[in-house]
Amino acid sequence: MKVLISNDDGVFAPGLKTLAELLEQEHQTLVVAPDRNRSGASNSLTLDRPLEANRHANGFLGINGTPTDCVHMGASGLFEMAPDIVVSGINAGANMGCDVIYSGTVAAAMEGRHLPLPAIAVSVAAYQPKHYETAAAVVRDLLADIRSLNLAPRTVLNVNVPDLPLSELKGVQVTRLGHRHLGDRPVSTQDPRGKERFWIAGVGDVADRDPGTDFFAVDEGYVSVTPLHVDMTQYSGMDNLGCWLEAL
């Protein structure tokens, strides 16, 4: 297969390197990633300036933009390969529950939704992972038979892997997204010139880690695979909304 690899941790991230080195053994690969860490960039496109692409000694392309920019450009055929699939990662830190709204890792995969095969976003559930190679092996195994997977068009697989040796994984579970509580308030600070500035605080605590959720699976030592879809319509609410609008 022709695999476009991207991420949101940046073109020099160890997870990206581990993933690319394994997948290039079996597939034609192209790596296009942000030139720096763009975690939390979500699905943003850069529209207020032109972008630059710089090829590094290892062949990876670094773009001075967002993860979505990288896949948008890489999937277009600009860089001598028209990919069949996008694989985004390996992210340092899980992308579960509400995290997917903000995640640049998931956004990069989402930008590959129009390609022939379902895009994959892959994360390790640790902020300082010790076992990137485990997540890379999981992706390798998913790609081995992905052509036979029957899913709705524009589906993305969100994969979260416990930070364990491959031999210690208990298996794979199909999961739904869990939920988090609201994050902490932004933290106020003062720069050396006396101007007040703010740090966005960390994510909220987990509110729903019931069996069947991505949080539960990873906590129990399983790989979580959640099918995501770009269609954010809440179909169950359409009838109630229609009745409410008619009454206005």
Side-chain angles (χ1 to χ4, degrees), residues 21-115:
E21 287 179 346
L22 184 60
L23 296 189
E24 70 183 5
Q25 297 175 18
E26 301 178 13
H27 306 283
Q28 182 179 346
T29 60
L30 169 67
V31 178
V32 186
D35 62 358
R36 57 191 172 90
N37 191 312
R38 295 304 303 266
S39 296
S42 189
N43 298 87
S44 58
L45 277 170
T46 301
L47 303 176
D48 61 344
R49 58 178 173 82
L51 297 170
E52 299 175 5
N54 293 295
R55 193 175 294 275
H56 299 282
N58 60 3
F60 294 3
L61 282 163
I63 306 290
N64 61 337
T66 67
T68 300
D69 291 330
C70 294
V71 176
H72 188 78
M73 295 174 70
S76 71
L78 275 175
F79 305 121
E80 302 174 0
M81 188 184 90
D84 301 311
I85 188 172
V86 169
V87 179
S88 177
I90 300 166
N91 191 65
N95 278 301
M96 300 186 289
C98 310
D99 303 345
V100 302
I101 299 172
Y102 310 103
S103 168
T105 304
V106 174
M110 280 288 185
E111 191 63 15
R113 65 190 179 275
H114 298 295
L115 296 180

Side-chain angles (χ1 to χ4, degrees), residues 80-151:
E80 302 174 0
M81 188 184 90
D84 301 311
I85 188 172
V86 169
V87 179
S88 177
I90 300 166
N91 191 65
N95 278 301
M96 300 186 289
C98 310
D99 303 345
V100 302
I101 299 172
Y102 310 103
S103 168
T105 304
V106 174
M110 280 288 185
E111 191 63 15
R113 65 190 179 275
H114 298 295
L115 296 180
L117 297 172
I120 297 174
V122 58
S123 306
V124 178
Y127 288 113
Q128 294 182 321
K130 298 177 181 178
H131 300 286
Y132 281 117
E133 71 283 354
T134 298
V138 168
V139 173
R140 177 198 60 202
D141 293 347
L142 292 175
L143 289 181
D145 197 35
I146 200 164
R147 291 188 186 278
S148 68
L149 178 61
N150 184 18
L151 290 174

Side-chain angles (χ1 to χ4, degrees), residues 150-172:
N150 184 18
L151 290 174
R154 296 176 292 282
T155 300
V156 171
L157 302 181
N158 186 39
V159 180
N160 284 276
V161 183
D163 190 25
L164 297 170
L166 185 62
S167 62
E168 294 183 19
L169 293 179
K170 292 183 178 179
V172 182

